[in-house]
Amino acid sequence: MAMQKYSDLVEREFGISVIDTHYYRPNLASSHLMSHENSAVFVHVGATPALPRLLAALTQKSLAPEDVTYVILTHIHLDHAGCAGALMKACPNARLVVHKSGAKHMINPTTLIDATISIYGQEAFDHLYQEIVPVPEDRVTVPEDGEIIDWRGRPLQFIDTPGHARHHFCIWDADSKGVFTGDTLGIAYPELQADPENPFQIPTTSPVGFEPDPLIDSIERLCNLKPDYFYLTHYGPVKVSETSVAALKEMIEVHETIGLEAAGNHELLKEKLLELYYQSLEKNCPGFCDKARLESAMSGDLELNAAGVEVWLKRKHKS
């Protein structure tokens, strides 16, 4: 996938386009814009600084903010959802579609803001997220598991997918045979992809919602739909590959063992996770890149993944 410039789109089939939200760096987080019957839907929206890019993408597709019918959040982590309130304010006819466990935090984001600051710090929060705008309660839609929203004759089905977070759902778009996966199918950065037929996907286990068994169950539920593509937030579409999904599930299963081996040593846990990901990459694409390149691409994710494993182990051993 080519590197994108400001407001550029990568257009796919079935009226689906990928927008680089430029969260932290290029090609790290995306928003998906769907266009159909002179109407638009955003699936994940990035952080608040992405707003000009999202609106510019509408213009490039000859659409206006008034044409946006839905803003859909797979989950409410702010790299995916931080711009929701600002975008809703700019799109007067849109409804926000969000998991029932996340809706209250979009209506009143105070707790979400405080939790994010506790992880990243105030300075990083101000830089990455800026203002988080509340969404009016009367503009929020909360679908049930399996519910289908009819978007001008195009069915969008919402599937509850815990494992990365309990406020996570994915969206099955039968027209494109694609699933908008949020973080359920991990991350697949473009610079780590060598074989389009077998994408390299890495779990994302950021705190505080990581739960391995539910995550694997969610992955299998989505695979049972027999999709052709996964539309990942990190980053963009990847072709569905049984080999890649099996490798992803294997890595998820190994996280507990690695966490126990590290015995509370955070830096050692990061090293072990990096080695796990590198071994999987080498098996997937031998000689494609060295460990230093992988570590550079994964730097922030290694920190979050290690923290997520540690939080999960502590919670598990208390129960």
Side-chain angles (χ1 to χ4, degrees):
M1 184 182 297
M3 297 287 285
Q4 299 176 63
K5 298 178 182 179
Y6 182 85
S7 80
D8 281 357
L9 299 181
V10 173
E11 297 200 26
R12 306 288 301 181
E13 296 177 324
F14 301 100
I16 298 171
S17 302
V18 184
I19 308 164
D20 189 343
T21 64
H22 284 244
Y23 173 77
Y24 193 72
R25 64 171 174 83
N27 288 315
L28 186 143
S30 62
S31 171
H32 290 91
L33 173 62
M34 304 175 70
S35 56
H36 168 71
E37 299 289 336
N38 298 314
S39 174
V41 169
F42 283 101
V43 184
H44 12 264
V45 294
T48 303
L51 180 62
R53 302 178 187 279
L54 303 180
L55 297 179
L58 286 173
T59 300
Q60 286 182 257
K61 297 292 291 182
S62 299
L63 293 163
E66 292 77 13
D67 297 323
V68 178
T69 304
Y70 297 111
V71 173
I72 301 173
L73 306 180
T74 57
H75 60 300
I76 62 169
H77 292 163
L78 292 183
D79 56 330
H80 303 248
C83 191
L87 183 60
M88 290 289 291
K89 190 174 181 179
C91 300
N93 300 321
R95 294 195 63 80
L96 184 77
V97 186
V98 62
H99 193 283
K100 61 184 178 182
S101 297
K104 65 181 179 181
H105 298 295
M106 290 290 97
I107 296 166
N108 180 359
T110 302
T111 300
L112 186 58
I113 292 168
D114 291 344
T116 306
I117 291 173
S118 72
I119 295 172
Y120 292 98
Q122 185 69 57
E123 184 177 354
F125 179 90
D126 292 341
H127 173 68
L128 292 171
Y129 305 108
Q130 298 179 2
E131 181 185 10
I132 307 300
V133 179
V135 178
E137 185 173 1
D138 62 1
R139 296 183 65 191
V140 175
T141 293
V142 177
E144 295 296 326
D145 181 30
E147 184 175 341
I148 295 174
I149 287 180
D150 186 339
W151 172 42
R152 300 201 176 188
R154 184 167 177 169
L156 302 176
Q157 185 175 22
F158 294 83
I159 301 169
D160 194 16
T161 48
H164 175 75
R166 293 186 180 181
H167 48 77
H168 198 300
F169 58 43
C170 297
I171 302 95
W172 167 239
D173 173 35
D175 280 23
S176 68
K177 293 193 70 177
V179 181
F180 295 91
T181 63
D183 283 346
T184 300
L185 267 292
I187 57 182
Y189 294 136
E191 62 266 39
L192 299 179
Q193 307 306 311
D195 181 0
E197 298 299 315
N198 289 293
F200 178 56
Q201 294 164 243
I202 301 172
T204 172
T205 65
S206 56
V208 294
F210 173 56
E211 297 173 295
D213 290 342
L215 181 55
I216 290 173
D217 289 344
S218 293
I219 290 170
E220 292 176 348
R221 186 179 181 193
L222 296 179
C223 288
N224 287 338
L225 296 168
K226 305 298 182 184
D228 289 337
Y229 281 93
F230 293 133
Y231 290 93
L232 280 61
T233 312
H234 307 288
Y235 178 93
V238 298
K239 192 169 183 179
V240 176
S241 159
E242 291 184 5
T243 301
S244 297
V245 170
L248 178 67
K249 291 194 294 184
E250 182 179 354
M251 281 186 274
I252 294 168
E253 290 169 346
V254 173
H255 276 62
E256 178 176 11
T257 301
I258 288 178
L260 293 172
E261 288 175 351
N265 184 325
H266 185 74
E267 293 304 314
L268 178 60
L269 177 54
K270 287 167 59 178
E271 292 176 13
K272 286 181 172 291
L273 289 173
L274 178 63
E275 182 61 29
L276 171 67
Y277 305 150
Y278 181 65
Q279 289 176 357
S280 183
L281 179 58
E282 274 289 282
K283 183 178 179 180
N284 181 282
C285 299
F288 171 62
C289 79
D290 58 26
K291 193 179 293 186
R293 179 177 167 189
L294 174 64
E295 184 174 17
S296 176
M298 290 290 299
S299 58
D301 297 286
L302 280 173
E303 182 69 35
L304 287 175
N305 278 11
V309 171
E310 289 168 340
V311 169
W312 170 68
L313 284 172
K314 288 178 182 177
R315 187 171 64 243
K316 180 182 180 182
H317 292 154
K318 283 182 180 179
S319 61

